[in-house]
Amino acid sequence: QVHLVESGGGLVQPGGSLRLSCVASGRIFSIDAMGWYRQAPGKERELVAAITTGGSPNYADSVKGRFTISRDNAKDTVSLQMNKLKPEDTAVYYCNALLIPLYSAGAVNYWGQGTQVTVSS
C-alpha cells in the first residue's frame, strides 16, 4: 500500500502565508514527479505546481511569484510555501505523486486525501 498524507491547510487572511506538506509512505520503489493540485467549489481540479526528481519546478500562471514548491527526495516529501494568499486561492489542495510501487511493472499516479485552504478576512 502507498499513502500520501497532506498537512498544513487552514484559514488565513488575504496577504497571509501557509505551508503545505505531503509525505509519501508505504511500499515505494521510486518517485518521479510530485506536485500540488487544487479544486475550488464548482470548478475542475487544476495543477498548482509540480516538481521533478531533479528539482525543476513548474507553476500555474496564477501562483507564479507567490508559491514555491520544494521536495526532499530522501524523505519522500513535497512542500508548497504559499505567500501573498488571495481569496481566489481558496480550495481543497491535493498532493500528487507519480511513483513506482514495489513489485509494480510501471508508474502509478497517487493522490492524497486533500487539505482545505481558506483565504478570507
Side-chain angles (χ1 to χ4, degrees), residues 20-91:
L20 305 182
S21 294
C22 172
V23 58
S25 63
R27 301 166 67 83
I28 299 170
F29 175 73
S30 67
I31 302 177
D32 192 352
M34 303 185 80
W36 292 92
Y37 287 70
R38 67 187 181 188
Q39 186 166 19
K43 294 187 177 181
E44 294 187 353
R45 190 173 297 189
E46 63 175 0
L47 174 68
V48 176
I51 187 167
T52 65
T53 305
S56 295
N58 180 41
Y59 297 98
D61 287 343
S62 60
V63 306
K64 283 180 180 177
R66 300 188 298 122
F67 291 9
T68 302
I69 189 170
S70 60
R71 66 186 286 175
D72 184 332
N73 293 330
K75 297 181 179 179
D76 291 341
T77 61
V78 61
S79 297
L80 185 69
Q81 178 65 42
M82 304 185 294
N83 298 329
K84 301 179 181 179
L85 283 160
K86 304 175 181 180
E88 51 262 44
D89 294 318
T90 296

